[in-house]
Amino acid sequence: MTQPPHDKPTAESPEELRAQVEHTRHELGTTVEALAAKADVKTRAQEKAAEVKVQAADRAGALKEQAAHKAEEVKAKASDATARVQAKVPDQVKETADQAGRLWHEKAPQPVQDKAAQGARMAREHRGLLVAAAALGVCVWLMRHGKH
């Protein structure tokens, strides 16, 4: 009889020997499958790429949510600042602005009024972009003039 491995007891019957052989075959099959999976570089690379893609999508979603939140914060701050400025405008300035508006409607040609209305409509529709551009302009101005 062959010598058994050091950690395995010897089989006392042919049935036990067959069971041990079957068990060893199963373990060997599992080991071969694991080695084959490790050797399949293409599949491993595809799995890693898929994993990285999911992580990137998750991160992009999180960044998008953060950007939306920050945009809402900036929008709220801009609205508050506008309200504070409007509250500080003297009544005489408000009356002068109202008078200028009335004169505009009375004296400006209709095509000019239409173009101005179209521009105002576009400005309202792209308010976020205009606020961002203004904020960028302020930052640039501060960087240039804040050093003095």
Side-chain angles (χ1 to χ4, degrees):
M1 211 172 190
T2 61
Q3 188 170 4
H6 298 289
D7 60 343
K8 301 283 182 179
T10 58
E12 295 186 14
S13 70
E15 291 81 24
E16 284 183 26
L17 183 57
R18 284 188 194 100
Q20 286 178 359
V21 167
E22 187 58 36
H23 179 72
T24 302
R25 281 184 184 153
H26 177 72
E27 285 181 346
L28 183 60
T30 303
T31 303
V32 168
E33 286 176 8
L35 289 173
K38 281 191 173 189
D40 189 357
V41 176
K42 182 179 177 182
T43 300
R44 288 177 48 210
Q46 288 172 341
E47 289 171 353
K48 186 65 175 176
E51 180 183 322
V52 168
K53 186 177 179 181
V54 168
Q55 289 174 349
D58 290 346
R59 183 70 179 138
L63 289 174
K64 184 177 178 182
E65 288 179 22
Q66 288 176 349
H69 179 70
K70 291 294 181 185
E72 287 299 319
E73 286 180 4
V74 168
K75 187 176 177 181
K77 287 180 182 180
S79 179
D80 290 346
T82 301
R84 285 194 305 273
V85 168
Q86 287 177 346
K88 291 181 180 180
V89 173
D91 289 338
Q92 185 180 8
V93 173
K94 291 178 185 177
E95 290 171 9
T96 303
D98 288 342
Q99 185 180 11
R102 283 192 301 278
L103 282 173
W104 166 259
H105 286 292
E106 293 171 6
K107 304 286 183 179
Q110 190 60 43
V112 173
Q113 288 184 19
D114 292 344
K115 283 289 185 183
Q118 180 184 11
R121 211 173 20 260
M122 289 180 67
R124 278 191 300 274
E125 291 171 0
H126 299 92
R127 187 177 305 154
L129 181 61
L130 290 173
V131 169
L136 178 63
V138 168
C139 289
V140 168
W141 185 85
L142 287 173
M143 289 189 323
R144 288 190 177 175
H145 294 87
K147 295 179 181 179
H148 300 294

